[in-house]
Amino acid sequence: MRVPRCYTSQPLKQGTLISLEEEPAHHLRQVLRLRPGNPIILFDNSGDEYAANLEQVSKQEVKALLTERLRHETETPLSIHLLIGISRGERMDLAIQKATELGVNRVTPLMTNRCVVKLDEKKRRNRMTHWQRVMVSACEQSDRCRLPQLDEPLEITTALAQLKPELGLLLDLQGKQSLAHIPQPENGVSILVGPEGGLTPDEREVAIQHGFTGIRLGPRVLRTETAPLAALAAVQTLWGDFNDG
């Protein structure tokens, strides 16, 4: 059985006893039914991962003693920023989950003209909490030690005005270039993808004015949750974690 792996927002240090937050505590106590003495693994978003043993498992508290640092996750050679139009629940969840597994460093949800999802303040807060949980779960599953940065949802024009990408890639059915013809960036890449229905012509033009290059990912029309994942896998293969040459 794989040793359970959990995220905590608390700083970790060998030899310390920590009380876990409610979500990991509930998962370990109620879902996995672990008991004192069971081993777990904890990470805290610093890149460090620690082995720990459960010392107390009760309705009131779940405590773990950190026994040793297992590893420090090295930084990825390619920083990836995903800007993605907000789509319906499961599609957006899938895109964020898989983007986290594929090593994206930052995610900016975008409100665009063709977004079918409309967020008031309450819905915005709930979505941010939910998306953060999706990222945490994806990091726990994929052995990742750092959570991607999750930005507050922004209007696309506001997000683009704040951004000066080293390399900006606009996933565009009308794009004339492929990734094979894009020069390798030194440090990072920003990938922009629209919601269901794509970006409007005006939004595409604004993206190009802010330094993005329209690229086409092959001959097929990819869904809004598929396109960013294909692009992430491609850039990781060309320039990032998947390229060990």
Side-chain angles (χ1 to χ4, degrees), residues 77-209:
L78 182 71
S79 177
I80 305 176
H81 180 190
L82 176 63
L83 301 98
I84 182 169
I86 299 172
S87 55
R88 291 186 180 94
E90 290 185 359
R91 293 182 178 182
M92 192 69 175
D93 289 357
L94 179 65
I96 290 176
Q97 178 192 59
K98 300 307 178 186
T100 301
E101 292 177 23
L102 287 165
V104 73
N105 302 92
R106 179 181 175 189
V107 176
T108 304
L110 298 177
M111 294 176 286
T112 71
N113 287 329
R114 291 177 177 165
C115 280
V116 296
V117 178
K118 305 300 179 184
L119 299 179
D120 58 24
E121 187 57 35
K122 181 179 179 181
K123 288 182 179 178
R124 181 192 298 249
R125 291 196 304 270
N126 289 341
R127 282 294 182 97
M128 286 292 291
T129 299
H130 175 72
W131 291 333
Q132 190 74 26
R133 287 173 178 161
V134 170
M135 286 183 168
V136 167
S137 178
C139 284
E140 290 173 344
Q141 181 275 323
S142 64
D143 280 353
R144 186 171 177 178
C145 293
R146 292 185 177 88
L147 300 177
Q149 175 183 328
L150 177 62
D151 296 333
E152 290 280 345
L154 292 174
E155 295 286 346
I156 184 171
T157 52
T158 302
L160 292 175
Q162 295 176 357
L163 189 65
K164 294 183 179 179
E166 176 188 350
L167 172 62
L169 301 178
L170 165 63
L171 306 190
D172 186 2
L173 288 173
Q174 301 175 25
K176 303 300 182 183
Q177 296 196 56
S178 69
L179 275 173
H181 299 98
I182 301 295
Q184 179 173 348
E186 289 189 14
N187 300 303
V189 58
S190 298
I191 298 173
L192 171 60
V193 59
E196 302 101 325
L199 300 177
T200 65
D202 286 346
E203 289 168 339
R204 291 199 300 270
E205 182 59 32
V206 170
I208 291 170
Q209 290 174 0

